[in-house]
Amino acid sequence: MLMNKKQVLEYLPHRPPFLFIDSVQEVIIPKEVEQLEQRSGRDLVGTEVVASFEVKESLEILAGHFPGNPILPGVVQIEMMAQASAFVSLALTGVGENVSVETLLLGVENAKFRKPIVPGMSLEIRAKMDKCRGTIANYACQITSDGEKISEVKILAQLKVVEKE
């Protein structure tokens, strides 16, 4: 594991009940990028994040969606994938640095929800940077459980790495 829940909380501005990343398993950096001494956002194209989230029955949003038949809403799944995409910037900052990341979701395309997500499921969230121009990046994202694809989306987001005081 690359980052535990405490480190995730230090890095992302999101807080419960709207934090949907429990841990970051790894950040996979393309080999040609790994060798660069200094990296920019554009250098991170091809970088992939693997994060995880455990869907607990106590998750607040499940109480109303739907009573007696809890299903994680699609909009939350999109948010989960957007939150995972923020960790691509770890390839610039590293873990444990005195920084956080501000993320702004700008667009969503081709969202597909193949199966419902219910309490008790362990989710793997993947976000791969496809393109980057300045602080704006495109990501191909997906959620799987037990190796089966559950949902996917292409997102456009703005990422800004901020030094903590």
Side-chain angles (χ1 to χ4, degrees):
M1 179 185 330
L2 185 63
M3 293 181 89
N4 61 29
K5 183 76 165 218
K6 182 178 181 247
Q7 291 167 310
V8 167
L9 282 164
E10 290 171 0
Y11 201 75
L12 282 182
H14 303 78
R15 293 294 174 262
F18 212 73
L19 177 68
F20 301 107
I21 301 291
D22 287 334
S23 63
V24 176
Q25 304 308 311
E26 61 183 326
V27 175
I28 304 162
I29 304 169
K31 290 192 187 321
E32 59 274 10
V33 175
E34 251 180 14
Q35 298 168 4
L36 297 175
E37 283 186 36
Q38 287 196 313
R39 301 174 189 151
S40 68
R42 182 171 282 174
D43 294 325
L44 300 183
V45 171
T47 299
E48 184 174 12
V49 172
V50 181
S52 65
F53 185 72
E54 184 74 30
V55 183
K56 296 181 176 80
E57 202 164 317
S58 62
L59 191 60
E60 196 173 327
I61 199 158
L62 295 177
H65 195 270
F66 297 97
N69 185 27
I71 298 172
L72 192 68
V75 69
V76 171
Q77 294 174 50
I78 291 170
E79 176 64 24
M80 185 180 291
M81 291 182 270
Q83 287 180 19
S85 73
F87 292 96
V88 165
S89 61
L90 283 173
L92 289 175
T93 65
V95 177
E97 299 294 325
N98 198 27
V99 295
S100 64
V101 64
E102 293 177 2
T103 308
L104 181 60
L105 183 61
L106 301 175
V108 175
E109 290 182 13
N110 300 324
K112 294 179 183 159
F113 307 100
R114 301 178 187 286
K115 296 197 179 249
I117 294 178
V118 297
M121 292 177 77
S122 295
L123 306 178
E124 180 180 88
I125 307 111
R126 289 182 173 264
K128 184 175 184 180
M129 183 187 279
D130 282 341
K131 192 168 35 170
C132 182
R133 178 178 277 167
T135 61
I136 309 294
N138 292 50
Y139 300 87
C141 306
Q142 69 175 15
I143 297 174
T144 60
S145 182
D146 294 327
E148 187 173 11
K149 190 185 291 184
I150 304 295
S151 56
E152 63 187 305
V153 70
K154 291 193 179 286
I155 63 170
L156 180 66
Q158 181 176 32
L159 295 178
K160 185 175 165 186
V161 177
V162 180
E163 289 191 41
K164 295 180 186 174
E165 294 180 16

